[in-house]
Amino acid sequence: MPKKTGPEDLHGYDPGGDTVRVRRHDLARLLLTFRSLAREQAAGSWEHMRDYDMSFERLADAVDTAAKARQGDRWAGPDLRMRCTSTELAYAWPDGAPYDGGTTVTWNIEGYGSHAASDDEDDNFPMALCGFRWASEEGRRMDGLPDCPECLREVQLGGDRPRGGW
């Protein structure tokens, strides 16, 4: 359990784990504000799954996990408002992603786990939805969903929301 930094402090810092305790509601508000600002940027000025975006997606995972634990059977699924928008206004998206109408396949790369990539037979150097790239002879196609959290999230979001949705 993180230690409080002061008697009236709502957010505790644990120096042993270098973690900060933040209320789920405050984190959700921060994420929603970030998404609003990202939508207002010039087109193509923010690359998907790079820079701060991956960190914000992981924070959204934490909010969803907390909401699921708190709501139990009443949980209706991830709050997509905190997730990447699939519009082209703010992001440069990877080619072949499920929200582009493309299909993905799962590749297992020895020592690097499984990742989702575009179903392009002619690609000698596939790129996963998370940005990971490998030579096609280094991996093998497999059934099922990827174990890479970023790739899995992208496949699930592509299935949950039509292109251009918010």
mmCIF file of all heavy atoms in Angstrom, residues 114-152:
data_model
loop_
_atom_site.group_PDB
_atom_site.id
_atom_site.type_symbol
_atom_site.label_atom_id
_atom_site.label_comp_id
_atom_site.label_asym_id
_atom_site.label_seq_id
_atom_site.Cartn_x
_atom_site.Cartn_y
_atom_site.Cartn_z
ATOM 1 N N SER A 114 3.569 -12.728 -29.110
ATOM 2 C CA SER A 114 2.729 -12.690 -30.304
ATOM 3 C C SER A 114 2.166 -11.292 -30.498
ATOM 4 O O SER A 114 1.871 -10.588 -29.539
ATOM 5 C CB SER A 114 1.612 -13.732 -30.210
ATOM 6 O OG SER A 114 0.805 -13.509 -29.086
ATOM 7 N N HIS A 115 2.044 -10.906 -31.759
ATOM 8 C CA HIS A 115 1.615 -9.560 -32.144
ATOM 9 C C HIS A 115 0.609 -9.645 -33.277
ATOM 10 O O HIS A 115 0.588 -10.612 -34.034
ATOM 11 C CB HIS A 115 2.821 -8.730 -32.600
ATOM 12 C CG HIS A 115 3.829 -8.504 -31.536
ATOM 13 N ND1 HIS A 115 3.810 -7.405 -30.720
ATOM 14 C CD2 HIS A 115 4.891 -9.251 -31.133
ATOM 15 C CE1 HIS A 115 4.814 -7.473 -29.861
ATOM 16 N NE2 HIS A 115 5.490 -8.590 -30.096
ATOM 17 N N ALA A 116 -0.209 -8.615 -33.429
ATOM 18 C CA ALA A 116 -1.182 -8.529 -34.519
ATOM 19 C C ALA A 116 -0.617 -7.653 -35.633
ATOM 20 O O ALA A 116 -0.061 -6.585 -35.365
ATOM 21 C CB ALA A 116 -2.496 -7.950 -34.021
ATOM 22 N N ALA A 117 -0.759 -8.116 -36.850
ATOM 23 C CA ALA A 117 -0.279 -7.362 -38.008
ATOM 24 C C ALA A 117 -1.295 -7.483 -39.136
ATOM 25 O O ALA A 117 -2.194 -8.323 -39.105
ATOM 26 C CB ALA A 117 1.079 -7.888 -38.460
ATOM 27 N N SER A 118 -1.133 -6.660 -40.144
ATOM 28 C CA SER A 118 -1.996 -6.689 -41.314
ATOM 29 C C SER A 118 -1.896 -8.045 -42.007
ATOM 30 O O SER A 118 -0.836 -8.673 -42.026
ATOM 31 C CB SER A 118 -1.571 -5.584 -42.277
ATOM 32 O OG SER A 118 -2.276 -5.676 -43.480
ATOM 33 N N ASP A 119 -2.986 -8.488 -42.595
ATOM 34 C CA ASP A 119 -3.016 -9.764 -43.303
ATOM 35 C C ASP A 119 -2.526 -9.550 -44.729
ATOM 36 O O ASP A 119 -3.272 -9.659 -45.686
ATOM 37 C CB ASP A 119 -4.435 -10.332 -43.285
ATOM 38 C CG ASP A 119 -4.496 -11.747 -43.849
ATOM 39 O OD1 ASP A 119 -3.430 -12.362 -44.018
ATOM 40 O OD2 ASP A 119 -5.602 -12.227 -44.114
ATOM 41 N N ASP A 120 -1.240 -9.225 -44.863
ATOM 42 C CA ASP A 120 -0.633 -8.967 -46.165
ATOM 43 C C ASP A 120 0.396 -10.054 -46.443
ATOM 44 O O ASP A 120 1.478 -10.072 -45.857
ATOM 45 C CB ASP A 120 0.027 -7.589 -46.177
ATOM 46 C CG ASP A 120 0.573 -7.212 -47.539
ATOM 47 O OD1 ASP A 120 0.426 -7.998 -48.494
ATOM 48 O OD2 ASP A 120 1.156 -6.125 -47.645
ATOM 49 N N GLU A 121 0.060 -10.975 -47.333
ATOM 50 C CA GLU A 121 0.918 -12.128 -47.641
ATOM 51 C C GLU A 121 2.259 -11.705 -48.246
ATOM 52 O O GLU A 121 3.248 -12.414 -48.129
ATOM 53 C CB GLU A 121 0.202 -13.070 -48.613
ATOM 54 C CG GLU A 121 -1.019 -13.733 -48.038
ATOM 55 C CD GLU A 121 -0.671 -14.871 -47.089
ATOM 56 O OE1 GLU A 121 0.452 -15.369 -47.127
ATOM 57 O OE2 GLU A 121 -1.548 -15.237 -46.299
ATOM 58 N N ASP A 122 2.312 -10.569 -48.919
ATOM 59 C CA ASP A 122 3.516 -10.161 -49.642
ATOM 60 C C ASP A 122 4.506 -9.382 -48.787
ATOM 61 O O ASP A 122 5.571 -9.011 -49.272
ATOM 62 C CB ASP A 122 3.133 -9.299 -50.849
ATOM 63 C CG ASP A 122 2.268 -10.071 -51.830
ATOM 64 O OD1 ASP A 122 2.437 -11.303 -51.925
ATOM 65 O OD2 ASP A 122 1.423 -9.444 -52.487
ATOM 66 N N ASP A 123 4.180 -9.112 -47.532
ATOM 67 C CA ASP A 123 5.028 -8.284 -46.687
ATOM 68 C C ASP A 123 6.154 -9.113 -46.073
ATOM 69 O O ASP A 123 5.910 -9.998 -45.257
ATOM 70 C CB ASP A 123 4.181 -7.629 -45.592
ATOM 71 C CG ASP A 123 4.902 -6.476 -44.925
ATOM 72 O OD1 ASP A 123 6.054 -6.196 -45.295
ATOM 73 O OD2 ASP A 123 4.295 -5.868 -44.036
ATOM 74 N N ASN A 124 7.414 -8.810 -46.465
ATOM 75 C CA ASN A 124 8.565 -9.535 -45.918
ATOM 76 C C ASN A 124 8.968 -9.046 -44.533
ATOM 77 O O ASN A 124 9.657 -9.744 -43.805
ATOM 78 C CB ASN A 124 9.767 -9.417 -46.853
ATOM 79 C CG ASN A 124 9.558 -10.209 -48.123
ATOM 80 O OD1 ASN A 124 8.916 -11.255 -48.101
ATOM 81 N ND2 ASN A 124 10.090 -9.707 -49.222
ATOM 82 N N PHE A 125 8.574 -7.806 -44.184
ATOM 83 C CA PHE A 125 8.884 -7.237 -42.884
ATOM 84 C C PHE A 125 7.604 -6.688 -42.268
ATOM 85 O O PHE A 125 7.363 -5.485 -42.286
ATOM 86 C CB PHE A 125 9.940 -6.136 -43.008
ATOM 87 C CG PHE A 125 11.270 -6.659 -43.459
ATOM 88 C CD1 PHE A 125 11.635 -6.608 -44.791
ATOM 89 C CD2 PHE A 125 12.145 -7.227 -42.545
ATOM 90 C CE1 PHE A 125 12.860 -7.100 -45.219
ATOM 91 C CE2 PHE A 125 13.367 -7.727 -42.952
ATOM 92 C CZ PHE A 125 13.724 -7.665 -44.297
ATOM 93 N N PRO A 126 6.761 -7.586 -41.728
ATOM 94 C CA PRO A 126 5.495 -7.116 -41.151
ATOM 95 C C PRO A 126 5.726 -6.154 -39.993
ATOM 96 O O PRO A 126 6.734 -6.249 -39.289
ATOM 97 C CB PRO A 126 4.823 -8.397 -40.658
ATOM 98 C CG PRO A 126 5.602 -9.528 -41.225
ATOM 99 C CD PRO A 126 6.938 -9.015 -41.586
ATOM 100 N N MET A 127 4.781 -5.243 -39.818
ATOM 101 C CA MET A 127 4.810 -4.355 -38.656
ATOM 102 C C MET A 127 3.540 -4.588 -37.855
ATOM 103 O O MET A 127 2.442 -4.548 -38.396
ATOM 104 C CB MET A 127 4.893 -2.891 -39.063
ATOM 105 C CG MET A 127 5.040 -1.983 -37.843
ATOM 106 S SD MET A 127 5.340 -0.251 -38.227
ATOM 107 C CE MET A 127 3.704 0.287 -38.668
ATOM 108 N N ALA A 128 3.723 -4.830 -36.578
ATOM 109 C CA ALA A 128 2.589 -5.049 -35.691
ATOM 110 C C ALA A 128 1.853 -3.740 -35.425
ATOM 111 O O ALA A 128 2.391 -2.654 -35.649
ATOM 112 C CB ALA A 128 3.073 -5.652 -34.372
ATOM 113 N N LEU A 129 0.638 -3.842 -34.924
ATOM 114 C CA LEU A 129 -0.143 -2.649 -34.590
ATOM 115 C C LEU A 129 0.532 -1.817 -33.504
ATOM 116 O O LEU A 129 0.305 -0.621 -33.403
ATOM 117 C CB LEU A 129 -1.547 -3.050 -34.144
ATOM 118 C CG LEU A 129 -2.420 -3.685 -35.222
ATOM 119 C CD1 LEU A 129 -3.755 -4.102 -34.633
ATOM 120 C CD2 LEU A 129 -2.613 -2.753 -36.395
ATOM 121 N N CYS A 130 1.392 -2.443 -32.697
ATOM 122 C CA CYS A 130 2.109 -1.717 -31.643
ATOM 123 C C CYS A 130 3.373 -1.047 -32.174
ATOM 124 O O CYS A 130 4.037 -0.317 -31.448
ATOM 125 C CB CYS A 130 2.467 -2.661 -30.496
ATOM 126 S SG CYS A 130 3.681 -3.916 -30.954
ATOM 127 N N GLY A 131 3.733 -1.292 -33.440
ATOM 128 C CA GLY A 131 4.927 -0.686 -34.021
ATOM 129 C C GLY A 131 6.119 -1.622 -34.099
ATOM 130 O O GLY A 131 7.134 -1.289 -34.702
ATOM 131 N N PHE A 132 6.032 -2.814 -33.514
ATOM 132 C CA PHE A 132 7.123 -3.797 -33.552
ATOM 133 C C PHE A 132 7.238 -4.361 -34.961
ATOM 134 O O PHE A 132 6.241 -4.646 -35.608
ATOM 135 C CB PHE A 132 6.827 -4.911 -32.545
ATOM 136 C CG PHE A 132 7.876 -5.982 -32.470
ATOM 137 C CD1 PHE A 132 9.116 -5.711 -31.920
ATOM 138 C CD2 PHE A 132 7.624 -7.254 -32.938
ATOM 139 C CE1 PHE A 132 10.079 -6.693 -31.835
ATOM 140 C CE2 PHE A 132 8.579 -8.250 -32.857
ATOM 141 C CZ PHE A 132 9.817 -7.961 -32.306
ATOM 142 N N ARG A 133 8.466 -4.507 -35.464
ATOM 143 C CA ARG A 133 8.705 -4.995 -36.825
ATOM 144 C C ARG A 133 9.666 -6.174 -36.784
ATOM 145 O O ARG A 133 10.557 -6.220 -35.960
ATOM 146 C CB ARG A 133 9.278 -3.861 -37.680
ATOM 147 C CG ARG A 133 9.225 -4.121 -39.155
ATOM 148 C CD ARG A 133 9.765 -2.921 -39.932
ATOM 149 N NE ARG A 133 8.800 -1.868 -40.139
ATOM 150 C CZ ARG A 133 7.862 -1.873 -41.082
ATOM 151 N NH1 ARG A 133 7.736 -2.888 -41.889
ATOM 152 N NH2 ARG A 133 7.053 -0.858 -41.226
ATOM 153 N N TRP A 134 9.484 -7.141 -37.682
ATOM 154 C CA TRP A 134 10.328 -8.329 -37.744
ATOM 155 C C TRP A 134 10.357 -8.846 -39.179
ATOM 156 O O TRP A 134 9.537 -8.454 -39.999
ATOM 157 C CB TRP A 134 9.794 -9.422 -36.801
ATOM 158 C CG TRP A 134 8.446 -9.937 -37.195
ATOM 159 C CD1 TRP A 134 8.184 -11.036 -37.964
ATOM 160 C CD2 TRP A 134 7.179 -9.364 -36.901
ATOM 161 N NE1 TRP A 134 6.833 -11.170 -38.147
ATOM 162 C CE2 TRP A 134 6.184 -10.162 -37.497
ATOM 163 C CE3 TRP A 134 6.761 -8.246 -36.171
ATOM 164 C CZ2 TRP A 134 4.829 -9.886 -37.400
ATOM 165 C CZ3 TRP A 134 5.417 -7.961 -36.078
ATOM 166 C CH2 TRP A 134 4.460 -8.783 -36.683
ATOM 167 N N ALA A 135 11.313 -9.722 -39.475
ATOM 168 C CA ALA A 135 11.366 -10.384 -40.782
ATOM 169 C C ALA A 135 10.387 -11.548 -40.752
ATOM 170 O O ALA A 135 10.275 -12.247 -39.748
ATOM 171 C CB ALA A 135 12.777 -10.884 -41.075
ATOM 172 N N SER A 136 9.670 -11.776 -41.859
ATOM 173 C CA SER A 136 8.620 -12.797 -41.861
ATOM 174 C C SER A 136 9.161 -14.186 -41.529
ATOM 175 O O SER A 136 8.453 -14.997 -40.934
ATOM 176 C CB SER A 136 7.878 -12.812 -43.195
ATOM 177 O OG SER A 136 8.776 -13.009 -44.256
ATOM 178 N N GLU A 137 10.423 -14.478 -41.849
ATOM 179 C CA GLU A 137 10.959 -15.801 -41.520
ATOM 180 C C GLU A 137 11.285 -15.947 -40.027
ATOM 181 O O GLU A 137 11.554 -17.045 -39.552
ATOM 182 C CB GLU A 137 12.189 -16.145 -42.368
ATOM 183 C CG GLU A 137 13.305 -15.146 -42.345
ATOM 184 C CD GLU A 137 13.168 -14.057 -43.408
ATOM 185 O OE1 GLU A 137 12.194 -14.055 -44.175
ATOM 186 O OE2 GLU A 137 14.031 -13.179 -43.427
ATOM 187 N N GLU A 138 11.262 -14.838 -39.283
ATOM 188 C CA GLU A 138 11.506 -14.904 -37.838
ATOM 189 C C GLU A 138 10.269 -15.327 -37.053
ATOM 190 O O GLU A 138 10.380 -15.703 -35.897
ATOM 191 C CB GLU A 138 11.954 -13.541 -37.303
ATOM 192 C CG GLU A 138 13.293 -13.102 -37.802
ATOM 193 C CD GLU A 138 13.660 -11.732 -37.284
ATOM 194 O OE1 GLU A 138 12.934 -10.772 -37.587
ATOM 195 O OE2 GLU A 138 14.665 -11.635 -36.557
ATOM 196 N N GLY A 139 9.106 -15.220 -37.655
ATOM 197 C CA GLY A 139 7.871 -15.530 -36.948
ATOM 198 C C GLY A 139 7.028 -16.532 -37.697
ATOM 199 O O GLY A 139 7.338 -16.926 -38.824
ATOM 200 N N ARG A 140 5.959 -16.949 -37.043
ATOM 201 C CA ARG A 140 5.006 -17.844 -37.702
ATOM 202 C C ARG A 140 3.599 -17.377 -37.334
ATOM 203 O O ARG A 140 3.347 -16.877 -36.243
ATOM 204 C CB ARG A 140 5.221 -19.294 -37.275
ATOM 205 C CG ARG A 140 5.000 -19.548 -35.814
ATOM 206 C CD ARG A 140 5.118 -21.038 -35.475
ATOM 207 N NE ARG A 140 4.969 -21.237 -34.066
ATOM 208 C CZ ARG A 140 3.814 -21.225 -33.401
ATOM 209 N NH1 ARG A 140 2.681 -21.025 -34.043
ATOM 210 N NH2 ARG A 140 3.765 -21.415 -32.095
ATOM 211 N N ARG A 141 2.700 -17.531 -38.289
ATOM 212 C CA ARG A 141 1.301 -17.178 -38.027
ATOM 213 C C ARG A 141 0.699 -18.176 -37.061
ATOM 214 O O ARG A 141 1.055 -19.348 -37.071
ATOM 215 C CB ARG A 141 0.511 -17.171 -39.324
ATOM 216 C CG ARG A 141 0.860 -16.006 -40.201
ATOM 217 C CD ARG A 141 0.040 -16.059 -41.469
ATOM 218 N NE ARG A 141 0.376 -14.938 -42.306
ATOM 219 C CZ ARG A 141 -0.522 -14.218 -42.960
ATOM 220 N NH1 ARG A 141 -1.795 -14.511 -42.871
ATOM 221 N NH2 ARG A 141 -0.151 -13.215 -43.704
ATOM 222 N N MET A 142 -0.206 -17.700 -36.254
ATOM 223 C CA MET A 142 -0.856 -18.564 -35.279
ATOM 224 C C MET A 142 -2.323 -18.169 -35.127
ATOM 225 O O MET A 142 -2.725 -17.086 -35.556
ATOM 226 C CB MET A 142 -0.136 -18.496 -33.935
ATOM 227 C CG MET A 142 -0.072 -17.097 -33.332
ATOM 228 S SD MET A 142 0.701 -17.070 -31.725
ATOM 229 C CE MET A 142 -0.708 -17.363 -30.678
ATOM 230 N N ASP A 143 -3.105 -19.040 -34.530
ATOM 231 C CA ASP A 143 -4.508 -18.757 -34.262
ATOM 232 C C ASP A 143 -4.641 -18.020 -32.938
ATOM 233 O O ASP A 143 -3.771 -18.104 -32.077
ATOM 234 C CB ASP A 143 -5.313 -20.063 -34.179
ATOM 235 C CG ASP A 143 -5.397 -20.762 -35.529
ATOM 236 O OD1 ASP A 143 -5.387 -20.063 -36.558
ATOM 237 O OD2 ASP A 143 -5.477 -22.000 -35.536
ATOM 238 N N GLY A 144 -5.734 -17.315 -32.790
ATOM 239 C CA GLY A 144 -6.029 -16.644 -31.527
ATOM 240 C C GLY A 144 -5.569 -15.202 -31.503
ATOM 241 O O GLY A 144 -5.044 -14.663 -32.483
ATOM 242 N N LEU A 145 -5.777 -14.585 -30.352
ATOM 243 C CA LEU A 145 -5.429 -13.182 -30.160
ATOM 244 C C LEU A 145 -3.974 -13.050 -29.714
ATOM 245 O O LEU A 145 -3.422 -13.972 -29.112
ATOM 246 C CB LEU A 145 -6.355 -12.555 -29.118
ATOM 247 C CG LEU A 145 -7.818 -12.440 -29.542
ATOM 248 C CD1 LEU A 145 -8.690 -12.030 -28.366
ATOM 249 C CD2 LEU A 145 -7.965 -11.462 -30.696
ATOM 250 N N PRO A 146 -3.349 -11.895 -29.972
ATOM 251 C CA PRO A 146 -1.959 -11.701 -29.569
ATOM 252 C C PRO A 146 -1.840 -11.523 -28.057
ATOM 253 O O PRO A 146 -2.794 -11.114 -27.394
ATOM 254 C CB PRO A 146 -1.571 -10.412 -30.301
ATOM 255 C CG PRO A 146 -2.851 -9.676 -30.470
ATOM 256 C CD PRO A 146 -3.899 -10.731 -30.665
ATOM 257 N N ASP A 147 -0.643 -11.789 -27.521
ATOM 258 C CA ASP A 147 -0.438 -11.543 -26.094
ATOM 259 C C ASP A 147 0.165 -10.168 -25.826
ATOM 260 O O ASP A 147 0.235 -9.726 -24.688
ATOM 261 C CB ASP A 147 0.401 -12.651 -25.444
ATOM 262 C CG ASP A 147 1.753 -12.859 -26.099
ATOM 263 O OD1 ASP A 147 2.197 -11.990 -26.860
ATOM 264 O OD2 ASP A 147 2.360 -13.907 -25.839
ATOM 265 N N CYS A 148 0.573 -9.443 -26.859
ATOM 266 C CA CYS A 148 1.058 -8.074 -26.708
ATOM 267 C C CYS A 148 -0.126 -7.202 -26.283
ATOM 268 O O CYS A 148 -1.131 -7.131 -26.997
ATOM 269 C CB CYS A 148 1.632 -7.573 -28.034
ATOM 270 S SG CYS A 148 1.953 -5.800 -28.081
ATOM 271 N N PRO A 149 -0.044 -6.530 -25.127
ATOM 272 C CA PRO A 149 -1.198 -5.745 -24.662
ATOM 273 C C PRO A 149 -1.621 -4.650 -25.630
ATOM 274 O O PRO A 149 -2.805 -4.393 -25.813
ATOM 275 C CB PRO A 149 -0.737 -5.145 -23.330
ATOM 276 C CG PRO A 149 0.555 -5.766 -22.994
ATOM 277 C CD PRO A 149 1.072 -6.479 -24.197
ATOM 278 N N GLU A 150 -0.654 -3.984 -26.276
ATOM 279 C CA GLU A 150 -1.000 -2.905 -27.204
ATOM 280 C C GLU A 150 -1.681 -3.450 -28.449
ATOM 281 O O GLU A 150 -2.668 -2.890 -28.920
ATOM 282 C CB GLU A 150 0.246 -2.098 -27.578
ATOM 283 C CG GLU A 150 0.758 -1.201 -26.473
ATOM 284 C CD GLU A 150 1.584 -1.956 -25.431
ATOM 285 O OE1 GLU A 150 2.063 -3.079 -25.725
ATOM 286 O OE2 GLU A 150 1.747 -1.430 -24.325
ATOM 287 N N CYS A 151 -1.165 -4.545 -28.995
ATOM 288 C CA CYS A 151 -1.796 -5.152 -30.178
ATOM 289 C C CYS A 151 -3.194 -5.667 -29.844
ATOM 290 O O CYS A 151 -4.136 -5.470 -30.618
ATOM 291 C CB CYS A 151 -0.938 -6.299 -30.713
ATOM 292 S SG CYS A 151 0.577 -5.781 -31.532
ATOM 293 N N LEU A 152 -3.326 -6.318 -28.706
ATOM 294 C CA LEU A 152 -4.629 -6.842 -28.290
ATOM 295 C C LEU A 152 -5.646 -5.720 -28.141
ATOM 296 O O LEU A 152 -6.777 -5.818 -28.603
ATOM 297 C CB LEU A 152 -4.495 -7.619 -26.986
ATOM 298 C CG LEU A 152 -5.779 -8.191 -26.408
ATOM 299 C CD1 LEU A 152 -6.423 -9.171 -27.381
ATOM 300 C CD2 LEU A 152 -5.506 -8.862 -25.074
#
